[in-house]
Amino acid sequence: LSSRINGCLHERRVDCIGATPQLSGSMDRVSRVRPKEIVSWLSEHGLGGLHGSTNWVAIDDRDLVSEDGGEALRGRFVQTAFASGLTRELADRAITMLLHGPQPCPEEERPPNVRTLQDLLAEAGVDTAVMDVLQGCATTSSLPALVKAVESSGRVKFLELLKASGISRPATRQAIANAIGRCKREDRLCPELKI
């Protein structure tokens, strides 16, 4: 994967100057230490990167600011959506950070609580036709069932469960898992769903 990414960057005349370290446990797909890895790399390279630059930006589809060490990324982080990737608007925001340094976080209202399976699919940006597939399987037929499944089995097994339920697209499975995780971290699952 790394060589493919570097090849694509090279085709666009962008050189890769390094990679963040992988802190102990960060490969288990459950660890939320990505911000610490980024800060470690920046510290190792002079607190701002190479060539004396102090402007940098982190781009990820995970909400890195809410992860362990994420406060250091405030004003320098652009969150994408797994399903849509880096949009023109988000790219412009990242470019502004690179040119002018940290930017105020967009003042957005707190998104609404997630109360139903339909709310979750909207949060995930997934076509509501997926609801029929989920409701056809007892372990994925409701929002409480999905939340319980991810809590009891972990993310990897949960993704396998979604696949076994008939959700064939990996991006759809990831979007659903990401939406559940994001809503849990932001305390937006309605109280009767909390495990």
Side-chain angles (χ1 to χ4, degrees):
L1 180 61
S2 178
S3 62
R4 284 179 48 204
I5 291 170
N6 285 333
C8 288
L9 290 172
H10 184 72
E11 288 173 9
R12 289 161 180 80
R13 297 187 326 244
V14 175
D15 292 324
C16 181
I17 57 173
T20 57
Q22 291 184 336
L23 299 177
S24 176
S26 65
M27 290 303 291
D28 65 10
R29 296 186 163 267
V30 177
S31 297
R32 298 294 183 200
V33 296
R34 187 81 182 117
K36 286 184 171 184
E37 295 169 341
I38 293 167
V39 169
S40 173
W41 188 91
L42 290 167
S43 295
E44 197 175 296
H45 291 85
L47 290 176
L50 299 175
H51 312 298
S53 172
T54 57
N55 294 345
W56 54 272
V57 63
I59 302 171
D60 204 301
D61 66 335
R62 292 182 359 205
D63 182 11
L64 297 183
V65 173
S66 70
E67 294 185 14
D68 197 13
E71 192 60 34
L73 305 183
R74 195 165 294 284
R76 297 177 180 271
F77 173 62
V78 173
Q79 184 174 1
T80 62
F82 183 84
S84 58
L86 185 63
T87 63
R88 169 67 64 191
E89 179 184 340
L90 294 175
D92 288 344
R93 190 159 174 249
I95 290 167
T96 299
M97 290 177 188
L98 289 172
L99 293 174
H100 305 290
Q103 299 294 304
C105 295
E107 295 299 326
E108 299 174 350
E109 289 185 24
R110 175 185 162 103
N113 283 347
V114 171
R115 300 181 183 284
T116 66
L117 190 55
Q118 188 169 359
D119 291 347
L120 177 70
L121 297 179
E123 173 79 23
V126 170
D127 187 332
T128 54
V130 170
M131 188 156 30
D132 293 336
V133 175
L134 292 172
Q135 289 178 328
C137 181
T139 54
T140 61
S141 62
S142 67
L143 185 56
L146 282 174
V147 173
K148 184 176 181 181
V150 79
E151 283 291 315
S152 63
S153 61
R155 183 180 177 93
V156 173
K157 293 226 185 270
F158 178 70
L159 292 170
E160 291 170 1
L161 171 68
L162 291 176
K163 185 176 182 179
S165 299
I167 299 176
S168 58
R169 291 191 63 233
T172 302
R173 296 192 301 266
Q174 289 282 354
I176 292 169
N178 289 347
I180 291 173
R182 182 171 51 254
C183 291
K184 286 184 61 158
R185 284 191 306 277
E186 295 172 359
D187 198 28
R188 293 193 298 118
L189 289 174
C190 60
E192 59 270 21
L193 296 177
K194 293 181 184 169
I195 305 294

